[in-house]
Amino acid sequence: MLDLLLIPAAIILALALRAVRRGDHRLHGHLMAAAATVVLLRVVLHPRALASHHLVLWLVLLGAAGTTLLLGRAALAWREGRGRSPWVPRVHRAAGATTLILAILVLAVWFLRNAS
C-alpha cells in the first residue's frame, strides 16, 4: 500500500522537470526536494517490508538524490550571481541525469521483485 506514495513522487518529478525547462530553477529545486522527501517517507515508514538488498538500493538512490540537491543549491547560487564556480551547473546536470537513471533502475528492480 505504501508503494502508492511513488505515484505522487513521479508526478512531482515530472512537474519539476517541466519547471526547469521553463527556466524556473527555484521552483525546480523545491519540487525535487519534495519528490525526494516523498520517496524518503516511503522508505522510512515501513522498512521491515524491504529486503536488505532493496533497502540498500533505496538508500543509495536517496544518497544520490541528496548529493544532487546539494549540487543544485550551488548551481542556483551561481545562476543568481552568488557563487564563483561556473562548473557546478554542469556537474549538477550530470548528477541529475545519473540520479534519474539510477531511479529508473531501482524502480525496475523494485517492481520486478516478486517476478522471480
Side-chain angles (χ1 to χ4, degrees):
M1 188 69 172
L2 285 174
D3 290 343
L4 292 176
L5 281 175
L6 297 177
I7 295 171
I11 292 170
I12 293 170
L13 178 70
L15 290 173
L17 293 176
R18 193 174 103 194
V20 79
R21 298 233 348 129
R22 288 185 311 196
D24 195 354
H25 301 286
R26 191 166 288 279
L27 177 63
H28 168 73
H30 291 305
L31 290 173
M32 291 304 278
T37 302
V38 171
V39 172
L40 178 69
L41 283 174
R42 165 53 190 106
V43 173
V44 168
L45 282 178
H46 199 47
R48 291 183 306 263
L50 296 172
S52 63
H53 61 281
H54 290 293
L55 182 61
V56 168
L57 284 174
W58 282 106
L59 291 177
V60 166
L61 174 62
L62 288 170
T67 302
T68 304
L69 283 171
L70 290 175
L71 285 169
R73 287 180 50 88
L76 183 64
W78 180 80
R79 279 190 187 281
E80 293 177 348
R82 296 179 286 123
R84 297 183 188 188
S85 304
W87 52 269
V88 174
R90 287 189 303 265
V91 173
H92 168 67
R93 202 172 304 121
T98 304
T99 302
L100 189 58
I101 291 169
L102 184 62
I104 291 168
L105 292 174
V106 168
L107 283 173
V109 168
W110 177 250
F111 288 138
L112 295 173
R113 70 186 181 275
N114 292 331
S116 56

